[in-house]
Amino acid sequence: MFDALKNLKEKAEEIAEEHGDKISDGLEKAGDFIDDRTGGKHSDKIDTAVDKAQDFVEKLGEKGEHGEKKA
């Protein structure tokens, strides 16, 4: 089971590395959509959540980069 989780993590890192820009754009669009649907009432919280998610995807992609260099 641990191997399966490790493989899943590695796959997520690869996807984040290869498609991080698309994921980031999608997160931004989702945040804009939610902000629009809530009438801007929670803009600050939505922006913070989107920024944190984008940072996470970026860091995950960097881990994927480093993993490939070691292999």
Side-chain angles (χ1 to χ4, degrees):
M1 182 164 167
F2 181 72
D3 288 338
L5 291 175
K6 185 176 177 183
N7 290 338
L8 183 62
K9 178 181 175 267
E10 289 172 358
K11 184 66 176 172
E13 290 171 351
E14 289 174 19
I15 291 170
E17 179 186 359
E18 292 176 26
H19 304 288
D21 54 339
K22 292 178 186 175
I23 296 168
S24 183
D25 289 345
L27 289 167
E28 192 69 40
K29 287 179 184 178
D32 290 344
F33 175 78
I34 295 167
D35 191 37
D36 184 53
R37 298 294 288 185
T38 59
K41 292 179 187 176
H42 308 287
S43 293
D44 292 342
K45 292 179 182 178
I46 293 167
D47 288 343
T48 299
V50 169
D51 290 344
K52 287 183 179 185
Q54 288 172 327
D55 288 346
F56 178 77
V57 170
E58 183 179 336
K59 289 177 185 175
L60 195 61
E62 289 172 0
K63 287 181 182 178
E65 263 180 30
H66 297 309
E68 283 187 13
K69 288 179 184 174
K70 290 179 184 176

